[in-house]
Every structure is written in C-alpha cells, then in structure tokens.
Amino acid sequence: MINNLFREDLKEFKAYVPVLNDKKVILNANESFLNLSDNLMDEALDRIKDASFNRYPDGCLDNLTKLYSDFVKVSKNNVMVGNGSDELISIIIYALLNENDSIVTLSPDFSMYKNYALVKGAKVLEYKLDYKFNLDMDRFIEFINENKPKLVFLSNPNNPTGNIIEENQLIKLIEKVNSIVVIDEAYVEFYGKSIIEKIYEYDNLIVLRTSSKALGLAGLRLGFLITGDILYKEVLKAKPPYNVNKISSTVGEVVLENPEIIKDNINKIIESKLYIENNFKNFPKIKSYKSYTNFVLIKYEHIEALYKYLSERDISIRIFNGELQGFARISSGTLEENNMLLKTLKSYFKEMDND
Ligand code: PMP
C-alpha cells in the first residue's frame, strides 16, 4: 500500500486548504479592499505586454528589490523577495531547522509557522497569550531559554488578535535569547511602528513583510524578508532560484513607484477599520478587541450561528476552532461592504431578540 511510504508523524496533520470564496462581501482573509487604480493597472498591463515570457525572470529581482528597500529604508542587499511571505516562512524553516530542532510561537498566532515546522519534522512549542491576548515578556523569555528553540516566530501586530507588542519588549526578547527571532510585520503599515532598522544592530533578527495587506497585492504573492548580512547568506541557501514570476514583480514595481498612493490607501484602510471597530460597540452582545491592523477580532456567544447568518446573506468572515472557539475575525471593507455587514448584524440581533 502506498500509505506505507508516507510519514508517520504527519498522519494527523491537516493541510491548510484555503476556502473557496464566492461571497459578494469578502471579509475573511485580511486582504485590502482596494485594487489597483485604473491608471496603475494600465501601466502594469503595458509593461507586461513587453515582457519576454520565454525567458526566466531576473533571478535577483534587482529593480523590485531596490524599490522595496527604498520603501522600507534599508539596503537592497538585506531584502529577499518571496512568493508571498508564506514562502519566506518555509524558506527560513528549511534553511535553519534540522529535524528535531524546535520553534517557539505564540498561541494564538499565524498558523503557517507551526505548519511548516511540523512538515519539516521539527517540534513546535506554543506559548499562550493571556486572556486579553497580552504577552508577559519576561516569562516568555524564560520559556524560550528553558526550551532553547532555534527559531522564535511571532507576528506583530498579531494575526488574529490585532494586538501589538511594544518595541522595547521586542528588543528585550531579541537581546535575551539565544535563538533567531522572526518578527512578522504583515500588518505593520497599519500600526506604523516597525522594528526593521534593528536588523543592523541584531544579527539574530529577521523581519517579514508582505504586499498582501497594505499594498493591496494579495493576488500577486509578493513577500519580503529583511535581515542582516550573516543570516541573509544562510537563508538564501533554501531559496528557489526563480521563485517570483515576471508578472508579479512587474506589477509590484509599478505599485512601489507610487509610494504616495500606497500611503493614501493605508489611510483609507485604517479609516475603514476604525469605522467597523467603533460600530461594533453598538452591539452589546459582541465583545471587540482593539486592533492595530486592517481587521477586528470579536467574541460572541453564538458565533457559529452568526457566521451562518452572514454567510447566507453573502458575507464571509473568519471563525476559528480550538482555543479561539467563539471568536471571529472580520476584515475591514469598502464603506458599502462595511455598511452591509453592520446592517446584517443589526437584523441578526433584532431577529434574535424577537425569538
Ligand atoms: N503573516 C501573517 C501574520 C499573515 O496574516 C499572513 C496572511 N494572512 C501572512 C504572513 C502571509 O502573507 P502572504 O500573503 O505574503 O503569504
């Protein structure tokens, strides 16, 4: 039987299969609700028209890397581009972990750190945030130093809680552990405080960024890894040579040539998040958590019923199981989408009250 050839340790492992998203209002994946403007789309299509698809992409992605490094104000030599930051997480793990090494991550946090580490055959130790989703950094450092993982992964701001860890706490972590610390800043543009420049001070720091949120390019799959010279060389060993295709890099370049548009879009997204965050306060049965991202985490006793109600009315949100049973994560949308969500929430609670 072919099953005999499969890995015993992955027998119970569940692959992450994204759901088919055929709803009219998509608020489940923390994407940007803003697509390229018509002008930028025309510019991108124009450039793609001239591309030589018979040739491999520029292996070092010179232009895109330069534009991104200017955008985040680091040297071009410290930026690696990936097929989404998802791919970069797997590259870090493949470059740095042996089987039986371990990683430490938070719970809750982005699930792909754990998934890739398990597929690699490494051990995953999860450190639980408190009931308000805060982290006691001193205890966390103790936990890390007891367990001696090679890698520590955390997202800041955190997905799915929307909460943040202050910079001085992160610096303490980086300074006091003998592990490589990966700070995933997928949502940092909405928070405004990055740790990226610290790669020049700490050789055990890797920062991850993505174009999928603030830059509005989730469909292109462009992620960025930023680290010091020593780690850069090591991580590079696991990078596939042509991991980013020409269409993605070309469109990414067009967007990054217009940082003022990116800034404008970030402000629009922050405004949209504030709008839903403030309006959730009008629903006494919903508890919402302060968020520094483009989404809001909520808690509600009958979350599955609410999810179903919204889904039947063409609105998708994200619910969870396990320790986040009873919670939902809702991305901010256009004003029209947000209002549709809020109107539907109102009608849901009205029906509940009349029951
Ligand atoms: N890190 C975090 C914290 C995320 O929330 C996500 C996307 N949900 C990613 C990484 C993956 O981003 P990308 O689209 O660049 O693969």
Side-chain angles (χ1 to χ4, degrees):
M1 247 221 326
I2 191 169
N3 294 24
N4 296 339
L5 304 173
F6 299 162
R7 279 168 54 178
E8 195 62 32
D9 63 321
L10 291 183
K11 224 171 174 173
E12 304 300 323
F13 180 87
K14 295 252 182 317
Y16 183 127
V17 184
V19 291
L20 167 71
N21 213 335
D22 53 358
K23 300 280 181 265
K24 199 164 138 211
V25 179
I26 300 173
L27 303 176
N28 70 334
N30 304 343
E31 298 140 327
S32 169
F33 56 85
L34 294 159
N35 196 3
L36 289 191
S37 65
D38 290 347
N39 280 350
L40 290 195
M41 187 66 93
D42 286 345
E43 174 65 33
L45 293 174
D46 245 20
R47 287 194 208 175
I48 288 166
K49 210 165 64 208
D50 294 333
S52 318
F53 287 136
N54 57 321
R55 303 284 175 202
Y56 284 111
D58 159 18
C60 52
L61 296 162
D62 200 50
N63 196 18
L64 178 66
T65 311
K66 171 85 179 64
L67 282 162
Y68 195 77
S69 65
D70 288 346
F71 180 66
V72 296
K73 301 188 179 66
V74 295
S75 154
K76 176 172 160 286
N77 301 331
N78 299 104
V79 176
M80 184 185 294
V81 190
N83 199 314
S85 48
D86 273 347
E87 187 197 32
L88 293 167
I89 297 166
S90 83
I91 288 173
I92 293 169
I93 285 173
Y94 275 71
L96 297 168
L97 286 191
N98 280 315
E99 277 170 38
N100 300 322
D101 283 338
S102 61
I103 72 157
V104 163
T105 178
L106 296 172
S107 172
D109 206 332
F110 185 51
S111 58
M112 294 312 290
Y113 317 137
K114 179 177 179 176
N115 282 16
Y116 285 128
L118 290 175
V119 172
K120 175 73 191 185
K123 280 200 274 295
V124 176
L125 304 163
E126 291 176 287
Y127 188 86
K128 229 170 133 41
L129 294 172
D130 72 14
Y131 74 103
K132 282 185 169 169
F133 301 125
N134 286 323
L135 177 66
D136 179 331
M137 189 55 84
D138 290 331
R139 288 209 177 155
F140 185 50
I141 290 170
E142 259 173 47
F143 178 81
I144 291 167
N145 288 336
E146 269 165 27
N147 289 291
K148 304 185 177 26
K150 273 210 179 146
L151 285 163
V152 177
F153 279 92
L154 61 90
S155 60
N156 192 51
N158 178 285
N159 174 16
T161 72
N163 201 4
I164 46 112
I165 300 169
E166 298 286 349
E167 178 176 314
N168 64 348
Q169 298 296 298
L170 291 175
I171 297 296
K172 192 149 100 179
L173 170 69
I174 297 161
E175 283 184 349
K176 296 214 165 149
V177 298
N178 292 314
S179 310
I180 292 160
V181 179
V182 183
I183 310 281
D184 181 347
E185 295 191 330
Y187 302 92
V188 83
E189 294 90 348
F190 308 118
Y191 170 42
K193 293 185 193 169
S194 169
I195 196 161
I196 219 164
E197 77 206 35
K198 300 290 176 191
I199 59 152
Y200 294 110
E201 223 167 301
Y202 300 105
D203 60 10
N204 62 333
L205 171 63
I206 297 177
V207 177
L208 288 176
R209 291 283 195 95
T210 179
S211 73
S212 300
K213 315 297 174 186
L215 274 62
L217 300 176
L220 290 183
R221 316 304 301 122
L222 285 176
F224 303 91
L225 179 153
I226 301 99
T227 193
D229 299 340
I230 303 171
L231 259 179
Y232 189 97
K233 265 198 209 134
E234 207 51 35
V235 173
L236 191 60
K237 293 178 181 172
K239 188 181 95 62
Y242 303 110
N243 54 334
V244 173
N245 73 70
K246 280 188 182 178
I247 297 178
S248 295
S249 64
T250 304
V251 186
E253 286 163 19
V254 170
V255 169
L256 286 163
E257 283 165 14
N258 293 278
E260 70 294 344
I261 298 181
I262 299 176
K263 214 171 145 210
D264 228 41
N265 288 349
I266 292 169
N267 288 335
K268 285 182 189 151
I269 297 168
I270 292 173
E271 208 176 288
S272 157
K273 191 271 310 187
L274 280 171
Y275 183 70
I276 56 168
E277 200 169 43
N278 286 332
N279 274 286
F280 286 157
K281 295 189 182 121
N282 298 330
F283 299 96
K285 291 188 178 146
I286 287 181
K287 175 174 170 49
S288 73
Y289 291 79
K290 170 142 187 60
S291 167
Y292 296 83
T293 65
N294 62 340
F295 60 82
V296 178
L297 186 76
I298 64 165
K299 189 177 181 194
Y300 168 58
E301 203 185 343
H302 307 292
I303 205 76
E304 276 86 11
L306 177 62
Y307 173 84
K308 188 163 171 280
Y309 187 90
L310 291 171
S311 183
E312 284 163 0
R313 284 152 188 82
D314 237 2
I315 301 172
S316 67
I317 62 168
R318 173 74 193 266
I319 53 170
F320 304 92
N321 40 36
E323 68 163 330
L324 282 186
Q325 182 97 43
F327 288 81
R329 196 192 62 200
I330 304 180
S331 317
S332 65
T334 61
L335 184 61
E336 195 190 350
E337 289 170 335
N338 291 342
N339 282 337
M340 205 162 137
L341 166 76
L342 295 166
K343 204 174 104 197
T344 314
L345 283 177
K346 233 182 235 169
S347 66
Y348 169 83
F349 283 108
K350 204 164 155 201
E351 283 180 31
M352 286 293 112
D353 289 346
N354 290 339
D355 258 1

